Amino acid sequence: MPLRPNRPLPLATPAGVEVLTRILTQGPIPRVQIARRTGLSQAAVTKAVAPLIEAGFVTDEPVAPTEGSGESQLGIGRPVSPLTVLADSVSVIGVKVTPTGLIGVTTDLTAGIRTVRHSPLRDSSTETVIPRIVELARELMDFLDDQANGAGPLIGIGVAVSGDVDAAHGVVRDSPFMGWREVPLAATLTEELGAPVVVTNDVRALTVAEHWFGVGVDADSFAVVTIGSGVGCGLYLNGEVVSGAYGVSGELGHLPLAPGELICTCGRRGCVETVASSDAILARTRETTGRPELDLAGAIELAHAGDEHAREAFDQAGEVIGSALAAMVNLVGPELVVIAGEGVADYDLYEQRMRRAFSAHAFGAAGDCRLMLRSHTFDDWARGAAATVIRSYVRGEPPLQR
Amino acid sequence: MPLRPNRPLPLATPAGVEVLTRILTQGPIPRVQIARRTGLSQAAVTKAVAPLIEAGFVTDEPVAPTEGSGESQLGIGRPVSPLTVLADSVSVIGVKVTPTGLIGVTTDLTAGIRTVRHSPLRDSSTETVIPRIVELARELMDFLDDQANGAGPLIGIGVAVSGDVDAAHGVVRDSPFMGWREVPLAATLTEELGAPVVVTNDVRALTVAEHWFGVGVDADSFAVVTIGSGVGCGLYLNGEVVSGAYGVSGELGHLPLAPGELICTCGRRGCVETVASSDAILARTRETTGRPELDLAGAIELAHAGDEHAREAFDQAGEVIGSALAAMVNLVGPELVVIAGEGVADYDLYEQRMRRAFSAHAFGAAGDCRLMLRSHTFDDWARGAAATVIRSYVRGEPPLQR
């Protein structure tokens, strides 16, 4: 039974979708600017906007001028009335699943985070995790239902999981971190929650958030590279996030750039993650220091204190991540690379060797791309899941089709 | 001075470009089918088609039925009259530049090759090569001018060169094979020839040809991987050939997947080409067999005869090419990989190890992509250059803008 979003968008044509997307990601924006950027006539823009204003998703009322901007508009004559999305018109829930806990957020239509809930997990089995996702989502749904919070009606729930996730069918095909295979997560959650559920790869979700509400608003192409418990990559190329013909893409952590004798958690040999995941760094540090009791925080502390064994483990990781970044830019040549993930908190331990390896292997002008650090919170992953729901909602894609 | 194509296309709107592209790449195709695939109204399609028919680029006259297809149309009533491009309405010249020779072709508007000319080179200096390109192009222009050949007027000349080619400025930034750096090829040739010249990376040109006139007509995404004197890759993702924000992409031959002690012709360490280029295979075979007089044909012959040293050199190449293919599909997940280039003539020598390494490193469903062999002729490279001109012509891009 297909579920309809609680508050359907009045979008009947591709032009309408295009226009709302511009207002959502580039607003406040005048009609004439939308016409210029989309190639639509001004009349077509006005026609597409009217029902969105009528239904309360968009406004052309003058927005309160921000400080300093009021003065400059004086004397220009009739003020242009730019179009702005009414962020509170709907709400979205985003959940990021990790082996040790769930992070849930509610956002508005512009992926602005309104509430955050964390929920620790004692194990990562589907028997434990799925009921907890249901519980967390229900809590957030109750929060949204409470009129006092002023939130718009819920349009859908996004769930982000690492690994090979078949978003079209809502199935987690293979998530080594979670130990999940062929889990029909979307169907189960939809039945339990009675709301449309989008299941997506976590790094791709982060990339969708950057595309619509982050660096992608200004960049023609970019990559999001995440370092931490895994090494992942999302790509935005030719106007769209790369999703892979068979659902797999951006598996930077599984390029065969590390020594072939190392076996990855995925079972393959020489994957980047055999050296560069936080578990690999910890294992290496334990081994070389002869201190099996160390945890990751301890290894990081040792490295910061200058312990050469611990530093060497981070150096190796930096080296392989730098080579992987070079491999990626040599292949797809993005304008910008955003480095994210929980590993960026200790980026200073990787950075030097990473940049050196990157420079050594980046080919010609591909090396001109800017490497940009994105400070990390786990909430961003959950927000990515919400951004994926927003995108499906605006585009009228399953399970949020109109 | 911008040059205008000899026979400008009557395309005033993005819809017109879209409609002609469909007819060109998917024709013969009925108007209703174009409307369905583009989301345009039938009226809009008809309006866009009218000036193209009027100007003699497209026809809706019934095409002679191919054998066996006539019968099935009986009794369906009024026959649909599909739209077809008039291939001879214009002509294009494509040139592929290699260190040992030039290959020039003329094609029609559908990139169908009409004539081929080869021109050997005694060295690869710009002083030698550029005058020879001019000479070859003039010969082909004379051929086209001859009314007896029935060719349409020339719209432009495409030139394909390997390496880092800045197509937007028509400059060969860095071509290690040719030994060229910062060569303003388009400007020089345009002045000499008085015709619009498009300069492009050779593998990207091959990819454009596959996109518009090859596998891309049916595949949503694909990669073209070329093996031979170099290892290259063209990517078609999200509806467009990937060009790289800084002009570099698809440098599969320069992923750092080979041993770090090997130094590449590009100066970097551990590039795929240090093991997998035909020169690397030859050097390795000479070394291990102790036969410095061998040429590539000799090394291939030895390998085919079962010589273990020669076979080992091809095995190593196959291993690294397979790893590189896996790295590429793990990152971008194409539907299909087309393997091309002069190396495919001896594909049997690489294949087993290549497939084994590919399977060992392809991540999850990314490995489902089909590997497809494209038999190789050097003429295909020149045709790719012509296809690039056709695409710029239809889209009204520089230097063929309307």
mmCIF file of all heavy atoms in Angstrom, chain B residues 134-154:
data_model
loop_
_atom_site.group_PDB
_atom_site.id
_atom_site.type_symbol
_atom_site.label_atom_id
_atom_site.label_comp_id
_atom_site.label_asym_id
_atom_site.label_seq_id
_atom_site.Cartn_x
_atom_site.Cartn_y
_atom_site.Cartn_z
ATOM 1 N N VAL B 134 47.631 20.190 -40.382
ATOM 2 C CA VAL B 134 47.075 21.167 -41.333
ATOM 3 C C VAL B 134 46.973 20.537 -42.719
ATOM 4 O O VAL B 134 45.935 20.628 -43.393
ATOM 5 C CB VAL B 134 47.954 22.446 -41.365
ATOM 6 C CG1 VAL B 134 47.524 23.364 -42.508
ATOM 7 C CG2 VAL B 134 47.890 23.166 -40.021
ATOM 8 N N GLU B 135 48.043 19.870 -43.119
ATOM 9 C CA GLU B 135 48.093 19.243 -44.442
ATOM 10 C C GLU B 135 46.990 18.181 -44.591
ATOM 11 O O GLU B 135 46.235 18.178 -45.576
ATOM 12 C CB GLU B 135 49.465 18.587 -44.570
ATOM 13 C CG GLU B 135 49.894 18.195 -45.954
ATOM 14 C CD GLU B 135 51.299 17.578 -45.869
ATOM 15 O OE1 GLU B 135 52.290 18.335 -45.790
ATOM 16 O OE2 GLU B 135 51.402 16.337 -45.847
ATOM 17 N N LEU B 136 46.899 17.328 -43.563
ATOM 18 C CA LEU B 136 45.892 16.255 -43.594
ATOM 19 C C LEU B 136 44.481 16.839 -43.631
ATOM 20 O O LEU B 136 43.619 16.395 -44.408
ATOM 21 C CB LEU B 136 46.068 15.356 -42.371
ATOM 22 C CG LEU B 136 45.083 14.204 -42.195
ATOM 23 C CD1 LEU B 136 45.274 13.163 -43.307
ATOM 24 C CD2 LEU B 136 45.281 13.518 -40.831
ATOM 25 N N ALA B 137 44.249 17.844 -42.789
ATOM 26 C CA ALA B 137 42.918 18.455 -42.755
ATOM 27 C C ALA B 137 42.585 19.105 -44.094
ATOM 28 O O ALA B 137 41.454 18.999 -44.585
ATOM 29 C CB ALA B 137 42.853 19.489 -41.630
ATOM 30 N N ARG B 138 43.570 19.761 -44.731
ATOM 31 C CA ARG B 138 43.316 20.405 -46.032
ATOM 32 C C ARG B 138 42.948 19.368 -47.087
ATOM 33 O O ARG B 138 42.045 19.583 -47.894
ATOM 34 C CB ARG B 138 44.550 21.199 -46.482
ATOM 35 C CG ARG B 138 44.709 22.500 -45.711
ATOM 36 C CD ARG B 138 45.304 23.625 -46.570
ATOM 37 N NE ARG B 138 45.438 24.835 -45.754
ATOM 38 C CZ ARG B 138 46.607 25.331 -45.342
ATOM 39 N NH1 ARG B 138 47.745 24.754 -45.705
ATOM 40 N NH2 ARG B 138 46.631 26.424 -44.604
ATOM 41 N N GLU B 139 43.671 18.251 -47.056
ATOM 42 C CA GLU B 139 43.344 17.146 -47.987
ATOM 43 C C GLU B 139 41.895 16.719 -47.830
ATOM 44 O O GLU B 139 41.161 16.545 -48.804
ATOM 45 C CB GLU B 139 44.193 15.921 -47.647
ATOM 46 C CG GLU B 139 45.381 15.684 -48.531
ATOM 47 C CD GLU B 139 46.070 14.391 -48.085
ATOM 48 O OE1 GLU B 139 45.427 13.322 -48.099
ATOM 49 O OE2 GLU B 139 47.260 14.479 -47.689
ATOM 50 N N LEU B 140 41.498 16.546 -46.562
ATOM 51 C CA LEU B 140 40.123 16.087 -46.297
ATOM 52 C C LEU B 140 39.116 17.174 -46.651
ATOM 53 O O LEU B 140 38.023 16.887 -47.156
ATOM 54 C CB LEU B 140 39.986 15.656 -44.829
ATOM 55 C CG LEU B 140 40.802 14.417 -44.432
ATOM 56 C CD1 LEU B 140 40.843 14.228 -42.917
ATOM 57 C CD2 LEU B 140 40.243 13.151 -45.112
ATOM 58 N N MET B 141 39.481 18.437 -46.435
ATOM 59 C CA MET B 141 38.601 19.540 -46.817
ATOM 60 C C MET B 141 38.419 19.588 -48.342
ATOM 61 O O MET B 141 37.318 19.828 -48.834
ATOM 62 C CB MET B 141 39.154 20.875 -46.295
ATOM 63 C CG MET B 141 39.031 21.024 -44.775
ATOM 64 S SD MET B 141 40.058 22.374 -44.105
ATOM 65 C CE MET B 141 38.887 23.735 -44.096
ATOM 66 N N ASP B 142 39.517 19.346 -49.063
ATOM 67 C CA ASP B 142 39.423 19.317 -50.528
ATOM 68 C C ASP B 142 38.484 18.199 -50.973
ATOM 69 O O ASP B 142 37.667 18.371 -51.870
ATOM 70 C CB ASP B 142 40.809 19.092 -51.150
ATOM 71 C CG ASP B 142 41.676 20.345 -51.065
ATOM 72 O OD1 ASP B 142 41.103 21.427 -50.764
ATOM 73 O OD2 ASP B 142 42.898 20.248 -51.250
ATOM 74 N N PHE B 143 38.623 17.068 -50.303
ATOM 75 C CA PHE B 143 37.755 15.938 -50.624
ATOM 76 C C PHE B 143 36.292 16.335 -50.433
ATOM 77 O O PHE B 143 35.425 16.060 -51.264
ATOM 78 C CB PHE B 143 38.101 14.738 -49.748
ATOM 79 C CG PHE B 143 37.123 13.612 -49.838
ATOM 80 C CD1 PHE B 143 37.237 12.659 -50.856
ATOM 81 C CD2 PHE B 143 36.067 13.496 -48.943
ATOM 82 C CE1 PHE B 143 36.321 11.625 -50.964
ATOM 83 C CE2 PHE B 143 35.147 12.463 -49.054
ATOM 84 C CZ PHE B 143 35.262 11.521 -50.061
ATOM 85 N N LEU B 144 36.010 17.000 -49.319
ATOM 86 C CA LEU B 144 34.620 17.386 -49.021
ATOM 87 C C LEU B 144 34.114 18.436 -50.005
ATOM 88 O O LEU B 144 32.927 18.458 -50.351
ATOM 89 C CB LEU B 144 34.501 17.929 -47.588
ATOM 90 C CG LEU B 144 34.754 16.922 -46.472
ATOM 91 C CD1 LEU B 144 34.716 17.620 -45.110
ATOM 92 C CD2 LEU B 144 33.725 15.794 -46.503
ATOM 93 N N ASP B 145 35.034 19.320 -50.454
ATOM 94 C CA ASP B 145 34.621 20.384 -51.373
ATOM 95 C C ASP B 145 34.229 19.837 -52.746
ATOM 96 O O ASP B 145 33.478 20.469 -53.479
ATOM 97 C CB ASP B 145 35.765 21.404 -51.558
ATOM 98 C CG ASP B 145 35.792 22.383 -50.402
ATOM 99 O OD1 ASP B 145 34.781 22.467 -49.674
ATOM 100 O OD2 ASP B 145 36.821 23.061 -50.221
ATOM 101 N N ASP B 146 34.775 18.676 -53.062
ATOM 102 C CA ASP B 146 34.503 18.083 -54.374
ATOM 103 C C ASP B 146 33.038 17.653 -54.444
ATOM 104 O O ASP B 146 32.619 16.697 -53.795
ATOM 105 C CB ASP B 146 35.436 16.875 -54.562
ATOM 106 C CG ASP B 146 35.329 16.295 -55.974
ATOM 107 O OD1 ASP B 146 34.342 16.623 -56.673
ATOM 108 O OD2 ASP B 146 36.213 15.519 -56.347
ATOM 109 N N GLN B 147 32.268 18.369 -55.250
ATOM 110 C CA GLN B 147 30.825 18.128 -55.325
ATOM 111 C C GLN B 147 30.494 16.668 -55.632
ATOM 112 O O GLN B 147 29.488 16.136 -55.183
ATOM 113 C CB GLN B 147 30.189 19.018 -56.408
ATOM 114 C CG GLN B 147 30.381 20.518 -56.185
ATOM 115 C CD GLN B 147 29.664 21.012 -54.939
ATOM 116 O OE1 GLN B 147 28.623 20.490 -54.572
ATOM 117 N NE2 GLN B 147 30.237 21.995 -54.257
ATOM 118 N N ALA B 148 31.391 16.045 -56.403
ATOM 119 C CA ALA B 148 31.123 14.684 -56.851
ATOM 120 C C ALA B 148 30.979 13.711 -55.686
ATOM 121 O O ALA B 148 30.367 12.651 -55.808
ATOM 122 C CB ALA B 148 32.257 14.212 -57.773
ATOM 123 N N ASN B 149 31.524 14.071 -54.524
ATOM 124 C CA ASN B 149 31.466 13.150 -53.391
ATOM 125 C C ASN B 149 30.148 13.224 -52.619
ATOM 126 O O ASN B 149 29.893 12.395 -51.749
ATOM 127 C CB ASN B 149 32.633 13.422 -52.433
ATOM 128 C CG ASN B 149 33.972 13.084 -53.089
ATOM 129 O OD1 ASN B 149 34.090 12.034 -53.714
ATOM 130 N ND2 ASN B 149 34.933 13.969 -52.992
ATOM 131 N N GLY B 150 29.351 14.240 -52.934
ATOM 132 C CA GLY B 150 28.030 14.323 -52.307
ATOM 133 C C GLY B 150 28.031 14.585 -50.822
ATOM 134 O O GLY B 150 27.042 14.322 -50.136
ATOM 135 N N ALA B 151 29.150 15.085 -50.291
ATOM 136 C CA ALA B 151 29.219 15.338 -48.855
ATOM 137 C C ALA B 151 28.636 16.704 -48.522
ATOM 138 O O ALA B 151 28.715 17.632 -49.329
ATOM 139 C CB ALA B 151 30.673 15.259 -48.384
ATOM 140 N N GLY B 152 28.070 16.832 -47.337
ATOM 141 C CA GLY B 152 27.550 18.116 -46.892
ATOM 142 C C GLY B 152 28.682 19.055 -46.521
ATOM 143 O O GLY B 152 29.843 18.639 -46.441
ATOM 144 N N PRO B 153 28.354 20.334 -46.312
ATOM 145 C CA PRO B 153 29.398 21.299 -45.954
ATOM 146 C C PRO B 153 30.045 20.967 -44.606
ATOM 147 O O PRO B 153 29.394 20.445 -43.703
ATOM 148 C CB PRO B 153 28.652 22.632 -45.887
ATOM 149 C CG PRO B 153 27.211 22.290 -45.781
ATOM 150 C CD PRO B 153 27.023 20.943 -46.408
ATOM 151 N N LEU B 154 31.322 21.289 -44.485
ATOM 152 C CA LEU B 154 32.084 21.030 -43.257
ATOM 153 C C LEU B 154 31.593 21.939 -42.129
ATOM 154 O O LEU B 154 31.490 23.145 -42.296
ATOM 155 C CB LEU B 154 33.558 21.314 -43.518
ATOM 156 C CG LEU B 154 34.494 21.166 -42.303
ATOM 157 C CD1 LEU B 154 34.625 19.710 -41.898
ATOM 158 C CD2 LEU B 154 35.866 21.762 -42.614
#
